[in-house]
Every structure is written in C-alpha cells, then in structure tokens.
C-alpha cells in the first residue's frame, strides 16, 4: 500500500518555477506585509535580508497611487484570497509555466465581467451558500447586476470584511476595474518586479534540487513532514513552485476547469528550516506561544477526543475556515497535528506522543532539570 502511494506521488508531483506565480505572490506579500511580519514573529522567523531588500525597494519605487491600488486588489488577507483570487485562478488552473509578462498579456483578453465574478468567489468561497441563497453559482456568476445585489445583502467573513466595499465598487464598474488592475500589474512589473525577477528565479532554482532530493528519497514522508499535507490529496498532477518571496508556507491551489484538473503548491523556500528540528529552548518557547491564543488550546482539546474536519472545528470554536487554517499552520509548525483523508474529507489528527514530548521539553527548560 505504501509502495503504491509513493508511486502515485512520484507520478503526480513535479517541481518547477512559475514566474507568474512568484509575481503575484510578491504583490500579495507586499500588500499584506504587516500581517506577514506579525506571523513571522509568532513563528520566530526572521525575514531573509534579500526578501527585506525587495520589500524596501518596492515601497520606494511604487508611486502613492500604485501602492493604494496594490492595497485595493491585494491587501486583505494573504491566506484568504479575496479580490486577488482571480489572478491566482487564472495562473493555477493550468499546468503550463508562464512568465509574468506573458501572463499579464493573456489576462488582458479575459472579459471584465468574468474576472469580477471570480473576485466575488474569492471573497465568498467559504460563505457561498449563504450568498447564493439556493441559486446556482454557474448561472449567477454570469449576471453582474445580480451578483452586486447578492453581495450588497451578505457580509463576507471577518478576515476579509474590508474587501466588501471594494468588491461592490468592482461590480458597479467592471470595465473600469479591469483597466485599473491591468495598469497596476503592468506598473508593478515595470517598476518593481523586473529588477528582482532574475534573483527570485535564481534563489528558487538553487533550492529546488534540495527539496526534490528530499521528496525522491521518501515521497510520503516529504508530504507529511515538510509539506504538512495528506499524501492521498495528490491524486492528480501537481507542481511544487518553490517560492523565495513567501519564505515559509504550503499553499495548495487547485481549480476545476475544462482542462484536466491540475494543482499547484506555493512552497516556501525555508520550509525545511521551519518544519525541521529546533533547539529545545526554541521548541519550548514556541509551544508556550502556541497557547497564548485560547483558540489554539481549544483546537487541540477538540482533537484530544477524536479527529475533526475543518468545518467542524470552525463551528465548534466560532471561527472561520480560514482562521482554522491559520491556527492549524501554527500547530503544524510544532508537529502537533496532521491531516488525513477519510470519507472524502480531510481530518485533523492530534499527535499525542508529540504533545507529551513538547510538554516534557517545556518542563525541562522551565525547571532546568
């Protein structure tokens, strides 16, 4: 069974650099910089000096207008794609590698109304049933006026609530919206990305052989321990894009299109550092930090009794699915939980032995025993 799983992973998973992905990740990281710096502090991770230089240079090069437009389209929640969902989908629905410039030119051909409808999906993907009220998304998404009416009556999840007004603005003026985001993408490419794209590619391509070697040595362990995912999830072709600018993270993106299903993972270049062994004191500090937020303690207490899937945890804790993902990433970081697919759902399982180990380490550090 294990050999069959590894064979499937070896068949379906590939590593390649997609410049178009790194381009929009760079825009998202800059727009959500405050949120990501706070997360890095939580994880006790320092921003790489080159990444810090890119952020600083981008802020200096962008005009105030361009920076405001960057915030308008990207600046809500890096982990809950909102208006920027349309950009990720237009790249990650296809297996082909794209340069940033070529992708921008392709996006120009996309109808404005279609793109704005995908912005709606990005903001409401975890409240879609409430938004639609029984209507069929495939029909509703073709009617911008109806979408605007439904959006005006339905508040999005708290982490993207600030996207509500801008989304209504986009629905009211789809053609103008397209002019705005096309100008922003071209301006960001010309004024910022073109100066750094070779360095970003080089850093990614230097790291890729390291991760490919780890994967080939033991595909299942790589997916569980470093990708922090359920291996059975990868039952269709998926490409791992090693992202320098995102530094840490495992963002799995897959969309159904008319073409065969494909997947992309935006895989942080320092994932091995984040999810590898840490010093005992650092482990103890992170363990204590994990429970500075009561919701993470409640998360683990739920799993103490039995595995739960994401929607169950969200309902039990009174938080959103995106918040479940956020807190889960922190617990993944400590290797306290793992995901397993059961009955077509992904369940979070608690690592009891790891919890005991971290409790013992913390006791040792605190009592100097």
């Amino acid at each position: 069974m294990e050999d069959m799983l590894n064979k499937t992973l070896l068949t379906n998973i590939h590593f390649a650099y997609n410049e178009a992905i790194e381009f929009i990740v760079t825009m998202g990281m800059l727009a959500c910089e405050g949120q990501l710096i706070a997360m890095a502090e939580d994880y006790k991770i320092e921003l790489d000096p080159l990444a810090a230089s890119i952020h600083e240079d981008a802020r200096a090069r962008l005009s105030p207008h361009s920076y405001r437009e960057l915030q308008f389209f990207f600046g809500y929640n890096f982990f809950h794609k909102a208006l920027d969902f349309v950009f990720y989908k237009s790249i990650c629905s296809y297996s082909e590698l794209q340069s940033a410039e070529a992708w921008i030119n392709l996006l120009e051909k996309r109808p404005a109304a279609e793109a704005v409808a995908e912005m709606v999906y990005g903001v409401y993907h975890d409240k879609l049933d409430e938004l639609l009220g029984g209507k069929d998304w495939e029909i509703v998404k073709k009617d911008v006026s109806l979408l605007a009416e439904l959006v005006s009556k339905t508040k999005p999840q708290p982490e993207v609530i600030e996207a509500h007004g801008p989304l209504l603005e986009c629905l009211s003026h789809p053609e103008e919206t397209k002019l705005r985001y096309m100008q922003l993408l071209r301006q960001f490419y010309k004024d910022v990305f073109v100066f750094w794209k070779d360095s970003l590619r080089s850093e990614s391509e230097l790291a890729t052989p390291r991760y490919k070697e780890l994967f080939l040595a033991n595909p299942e362990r790589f997916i569980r321990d470093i990708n922090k995912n359920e291996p059975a999830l990868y039952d269709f072709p998926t490409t791992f894009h090693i992202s320098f600018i995102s530094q840490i993270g495992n963002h799995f993106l897959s969309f159904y299109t008319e073409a065969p299903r494909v997947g992309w993972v935006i895989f942080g270049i320092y994932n091995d550092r984040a999810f590898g062994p840490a010093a005992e004191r650092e482990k103890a500090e992170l363990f204590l930090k994990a429970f500075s937020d009561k919701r993470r303690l409640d998360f683990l207490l739920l799993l103490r009794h039995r595995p739960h899937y994401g929607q169950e945890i969200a309902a039990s804790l009174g938080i959103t699915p995106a918040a479940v993902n956020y807190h889960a990433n922190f617990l993944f970081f400590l290797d306290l939980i793992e995901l397993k697919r059961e009955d077509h759902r992904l369940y979070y399982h608690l690592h009891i032995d790891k919890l005991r180990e971290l409790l013992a380490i913390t006791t040792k550090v605190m009592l100097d025993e």
Side-chain angles (χ1 to χ4, degrees):
M1 190 69 166
E2 183 178 336
D3 288 344
M4 182 65 71
L5 179 57
N6 280 329
K7 184 177 180 181
T8 300
L9 293 172
L10 288 167
T11 299
N12 287 338
I13 290 179
H14 307 278
F15 292 78
Y17 182 76
N18 191 333
E19 186 185 86
I21 290 179
E22 197 74 348
F23 173 65
I24 55 169
V25 171
T26 302
M27 297 180 79
M29 292 287 287
L30 184 62
C32 299
E33 188 174 28
Q35 173 196 352
L36 295 164
I37 288 173
M39 186 189 73
E41 289 174 355
D42 274 350
Y43 282 75
K44 297 178 68 65
I45 297 166
E46 292 185 7
L47 192 64
D48 183 282
L50 177 60
S53 296
I54 293 171
H55 282 238
E56 184 179 353
D57 184 65
R59 287 193 299 270
R61 290 179 182 278
L62 287 175
S63 70
H65 170 74
S66 293
Y67 191 76
R68 285 192 297 270
E69 290 290 87
L70 182 71
Q71 293 293 327
F72 183 92
F73 287 105
F74 287 86
Y76 303 103
N77 188 299
F78 187 75
F79 303 102
H80 185 309
K81 303 309 177 193
L83 304 188
D84 53 343
F85 175 84
V86 60
F87 308 132
Y88 284 91
K89 184 177 180 183
S90 68
I91 296 170
C92 297
S93 294
Y94 306 98
S95 59
E96 293 83 1
L97 304 177
Q98 300 178 72
S99 71
E101 197 168 18
W103 168 70
I104 292 170
N105 291 333
L106 283 174
L107 189 66
E108 177 72 71
K109 301 173 184 177
R110 196 81 179 272
E114 183 181 293
V116 170
E118 288 184 356
M119 292 179 183
V120 174
Y121 189 90
V123 174
Y124 285 95
H125 65 84
D126 48 7
K127 287 190 77 172
L128 201 60
D129 290 343
E130 181 181 339
L131 176 76
L132 295 174
K135 297 179 177 64
D136 185 341
W137 170 251
E138 293 302 316
I139 295 173
V140 171
K141 72 179 185 180
K142 298 173 183 176
D143 187 336
V144 172
S145 297
L146 178 56
L147 277 173
E149 180 185 338
L150 296 175
V151 166
S152 68
K153 296 175 181 177
T154 311
K155 296 294 184 186
Q157 298 285 14
E159 59 262 36
V160 288
I161 191 67
E162 291 181 3
H164 192 235
L167 179 58
L168 285 169
E169 184 178 333
C170 293
L171 287 164
S172 297
H173 307 284
E175 294 297 337
E176 181 184 278
T177 296
K178 179 178 177 179
L179 290 174
R180 288 173 64 183
Y181 67 66
M182 291 307 306
Q183 180 181 359
L184 171 65
L185 294 169
R186 290 197 173 100
Q187 202 74 35
F188 191 89
Y189 179 82
K190 179 175 70 72
D191 290 349
V192 176
F193 192 75
V194 72
F195 297 99
W196 295 101
K197 66 176 188 173
D198 290 341
S199 296
L200 291 169
R201 177 182 290 274
S202 176
E203 292 291 334
S204 172
E205 291 179 344
L206 283 171
T208 297
R210 179 173 85 247
Y211 285 117
K212 190 172 181 179
E213 183 179 350
L214 287 169
F215 170 72
L216 292 174
N218 193 321
E220 183 181 1
R221 181 179 297 173
F222 176 87
I223 297 301
R224 291 193 188 280
D225 293 351
I226 302 180
N227 180 225
K228 294 299 178 184
N229 224 325
E230 164 59 45
L233 189 65
Y234 296 107
D235 56 358
F236 54 88
T238 301
T239 304
F240 276 58
H241 164 85
I242 309 301
S243 173
F244 172 78
I245 199 67
S246 71
Q247 302 278 287
I248 303 292
N250 288 294
H251 302 291
F252 178 62
L253 299 167
S254 177
F255 306 103
Y256 288 100
T257 65
E258 295 177 2
R261 188 180 184 188
V262 298
W264 285 89
V265 175
I266 303 173
F267 187 90
I269 197 169
Y270 293 129
N271 275 7
D272 57 348
R273 185 183 300 176
F275 300 117
E280 286 189 348
R281 180 182 176 88
E282 184 173 341
K283 282 186 177 179
E285 290 176 0
L286 287 171
F287 183 62
L288 293 171
K289 176 71 175 178
F291 303 113
S292 63
D293 189 313
K294 177 181 178 295
R295 289 167 294 188
R296 288 195 280 266
L297 177 59
D298 291 339
F299 195 134
L300 279 194
L301 292 177
L302 275 178
L303 302 186
R304 182 182 58 181
H305 301 294
R306 65 171 176 83
H308 286 65
Y309 59 90
Q311 289 286 356
E312 280 186 301
I313 296 171
S316 296
L317 303 187
I319 60 178
T320 66
V324 170
N325 290 337
Y326 175 78
H327 292 301
N329 279 332
F330 205 104
L331 300 173
F332 279 136
F333 188 71
L334 288 164
D335 201 27
L336 282 167
I337 60 172
E338 68 174 325
L339 276 172
K340 294 182 180 179
R341 179 183 275 183
E342 301 168 20
D343 301 326
H344 307 294
R345 285 189 172 125
L346 289 171
Y347 282 81
Y348 292 91
H349 288 246
L350 174 63
H351 285 167
I352 295 289
D353 290 343
K354 187 66 178 180
L355 178 58
R356 288 195 180 102
E357 177 192 330
L358 287 169
L359 285 167
I361 288 173
T362 303
T363 299
K364 179 181 176 183
V365 170
M366 297 292 288
L367 300 180
D368 194 25
E369 294 179 342

